[in-house]
Amino acid sequence: MLDKHTIQIVKSTIPLLESAGPALTSHFYQRLFQHNPELKDTFNLANQHNGGQPVALFNAVAAYARNIDNLAVLGSAVERIAQKHTGFLIQPEQYQVVGHHLLATLKELGGAAVTDEVLDAWGRAYGVLADIFIGRESQLYQTRAEQVGGWKGTRAFTITAKQQESEVITSFVLTPNDGQAVMDFVPGQYLSVQVQDSDFAQQEIRQYSLSDAPNGCSYRISVKREVGGLVSSTLHDCFNVGDELAVIPPAGDFVLAADDDTPVVLISAGVGLTPMMSMLNQLMGSEHHSDITWLHACEFGAFHGFKSDIQQKAASYEPLAAYTWYREPSSDDRIGEDYQFTGTIELDKVAGRLLPHAQYYFCGPVPFMAEVKRQLLALGIAPSQLHYEVFGPHQSV
């Protein structure tokens, strides 16, 4: 526990943090990688280049300072970050390295305002937070290792199937080399894979949503080819059936949780449909009796992933209804067959399916999810029924 004096000092630095903004955490990462370049094998450097990771870290640091006297309100954020950390195999000793550079950054950017007393207070505060993460991550590692089909660290898997789902999305089925079972996961979670290639400056770790229901023997991930994406392009172009990947156990706090008599609405844009596929397949496999509504938005038909699969499911499974928006349909796209609506997603067009007691899961670009949330709240859906996943560093919507 932190004493009142330490809490007061940390809170007194909030204006300093806010004035520095994400420049503080950008400086931190530059310092970290300069002095500990081995950590480049752990962090997704693409998120450094696009600014997403520094912003996410700054928001987390600022939230910790604001709520340091009431850490219970940070419980969901701690769980989300801890889940992410286990997907990168973060270890306790790395918290010491991060803490050292965080305090050094405060000193270097804060100038005279960051006294030894301030550094001592932040050192104690960071130590408490680090212990929370270390403890939770230790539990997660241990729990996964003890599950049937579970493991700790990495495990060798082979690509046993590769399927193109659209012009930009390809699925990979991964089967363990040891022939043993794989642990179950909760639909909505993701798989972390270590990718190595002779063209890479270092090992890369990426997290991809699992796109099928658990089956105990293999996993399926579906990967979008990102413009300029080093790893996604390599997976699409260079990895084929028979190639191996090192896989880290499933993780994530965005999970399907709905009783059999609860309607479920799955809303996605672009590659955001991948966790929804896992949820849908699980719901259908368990013969979910209440309504399931599938709402998807994409650019046009060539980018429409899993189109035939969803159409077949909707035709054969009575509780399921599926609707698609194409933002700019091509001349080959047929309204009423390939898609139902033109433009961006407008939920009032399917308001009859948006029941007040349903659970809503959505995933896609952050602006898309912010608009979906706005529309659902305007329709009177309670915030507690809204669940979303951000690919990459977390942002609030």
Side-chain angles (χ1 to χ4, degrees), residues 16 20 24 103-116 118-119:
L16 174 64
L24 178 80
L103 294 179
T105 296
L106 285 172
K107 181 63 176 176
E108 290 167 0
L109 295 190
V114 180
T115 63
D116 288 343
V118 169
L119 288 176

Side-chain angles (χ1 to χ4, degrees), residues 36 39 89-100 126 134:
N36 294 90
L39 292 178
L89 299 180
I90 299 298
Q91 298 301 310
E93 58 270 19
Q94 291 173 316
Y95 280 94
Q96 297 178 10
V97 176
V98 167
H100 168 75
Y126 174 81
I134 290 169

Side-chain angles (χ1 to χ4, degrees), residues 17-55:
L17 296 177
E18 293 177 340
S19 66
L24 178 80
T25 43
S26 293
H27 180 87
F28 158 78
Y29 280 117
Q30 292 171 6
R31 196 182 203 285
L32 178 70
F33 294 136
Q34 178 183 355
H35 293 275
N36 294 90
E38 73 279 2
L39 292 178
K40 292 180 179 180
D41 284 341
T42 298
F43 286 84
N44 181 345
L45 297 185
N47 291 329
Q48 303 295 327
H49 300 321
N50 64 28
Q53 190 61 54
V55 170

Side-chain angles (χ1 to χ4, degrees), residues 130-143:
D131 286 344
I132 291 172
F133 279 117
I134 290 169
R136 178 56 181 148
E137 289 158 19
S138 176
Q139 292 175 345
L140 291 171
Y141 287 135
Q142 191 63 31
T143 298

Side-chain angles (χ1 to χ4, degrees), residues 185-200:
F185 59 93
V186 185
Q189 291 189 306
Y190 48 80
L191 201 66
S192 298
V193 296
Q194 287 185 348
V195 184
Q196 297 185 354
D197 187 84
S198 58
D199 292 335
F200 293 179

Side-chain angles (χ1 to χ4, degrees), residues 203-220:
Q203 164 191 278
E204 299 284 351
I205 298 177
R206 291 296 185 272
Q207 297 174 329
Y208 296 110
S209 292
L210 290 145
S211 61
D212 201 357
N215 61 30
C217 60
S218 65
Y219 297 123
R220 184 178 74 176

Side-chain angles (χ1 to χ4, degrees), residues 12-316:
S12 74
T13 64
I14 292 175
L16 174 64
L17 296 177
E18 293 177 340
S19 66
L24 178 80
T25 43
S26 293
H27 180 87
F28 158 78
Y29 280 117
Q30 292 171 6
R31 196 182 203 285
L32 178 70
F33 294 136
Q34 178 183 355
H35 293 275
N36 294 90
E38 73 279 2
L39 292 178
K40 292 180 179 180
D41 284 341
T42 298
F43 286 84
N44 181 345
L45 297 185
N47 291 329
Q48 303 295 327
H49 300 321
N50 64 28
Q53 190 61 54
V55 170
L57 178 60
F58 171 77
N59 290 337
V61 170
Y64 181 52
R66 295 188 193 102
N67 297 282
I68 195 168
D69 52 352
N70 185 21
L71 295 181
V73 302
L74 300 177
S76 60
V78 167
E79 180 64 17
R80 181 176 58 250
I81 295 170
Q83 293 278 349
K84 285 280 188 183
H85 283 180
T86 59
F88 291 104
L89 299 180
I90 299 298
Q91 298 301 310
E93 58 270 19
Q94 291 173 316
Y95 280 94
Q96 297 178 10
V97 176
V98 167
H100 168 75
H101 291 294
L102 182 61
L103 294 179
T105 296
L106 285 172
K107 181 63 176 176
E108 290 167 0
L109 295 190
V114 180
T115 63
D116 288 343
E117 185 179 39
V118 169
L119 288 176
D120 288 343
W122 263 102
R124 289 191 292 273
Y126 174 81
V128 168
L129 185 61
D131 286 344
I132 291 172
F133 279 117
I134 290 169
R136 178 56 181 148
E137 289 158 19
S138 176
Q139 292 175 345
L140 291 171
Y141 287 135
Q142 191 63 31
T143 298
R144 293 166 189 163
E146 293 174 352
Q147 286 188 37
V148 174
W151 71 97
K152 198 170 186 178
T154 61
R155 184 176 175 186
F157 279 66
T158 294
I159 298 171
T160 51
K162 181 179 179 181
Q163 173 69 42
Q164 186 169 350
E165 311 293 358
S166 76
E167 280 193 5
V168 292
I169 298 174
T170 296
S171 291
F172 299 84
V173 175
L174 308 176
T175 304
N177 291 4
D178 58 21
Q180 301 299 307
V182 299
M183 62 179 281
D184 281 343
F185 59 93
V186 185
Q189 291 189 306
Y190 48 80
L191 201 66
S192 298
V193 296
Q194 287 185 348
V195 184
Q196 297 185 354
D197 187 84
S198 58
D199 292 335
F200 293 179
Q202 61 274 320
Q203 164 191 278
E204 299 284 351
I205 298 177
R206 291 296 185 272
Q207 297 174 329
Y208 296 110
S209 292
L210 290 145
S211 61
D212 201 357
N215 61 30
C217 60
S218 65
Y219 297 123
R220 184 178 74 176
I221 57 174
S222 300
V223 180
K224 177 188 176 186
R225 182 195 293 271
E226 299 288 352
V227 176
L230 175 68
V231 176
S232 64
S233 295
T234 299
L235 287 172
H236 274 246
D237 296 337
C238 304
F239 279 75
N240 297 296
V241 171
D243 291 332
E244 292 188 7
L245 288 168
V247 175
I248 298 166
D253 67 328
F254 175 65
V255 295
L256 176 66
D259 297 332
D260 189 55
D261 59 353
T262 300
V264 174
V265 181
L266 307 173
I267 310 174
S268 60
V271 75
L273 55 64
T274 51
M276 305 307 167
M277 288 299 302
S278 179
M279 292 182 182
L280 178 61
N281 290 347
Q282 175 74 8
L283 289 166
M284 292 182 62
S286 64
E287 298 184 347
H288 189 80
H289 291 130
S290 193
D291 288 344
I292 307 169
T293 303
W294 174 275
L295 307 177
H296 181 62
C298 60
E299 291 296 306
F300 47 84
F303 282 17
H304 189 173
F306 298 98
K307 180 177 71 174
S308 297
D309 189 10
I310 295 299
Q311 289 175 339
Q312 292 170 9
K313 284 179 165 66
S316 63

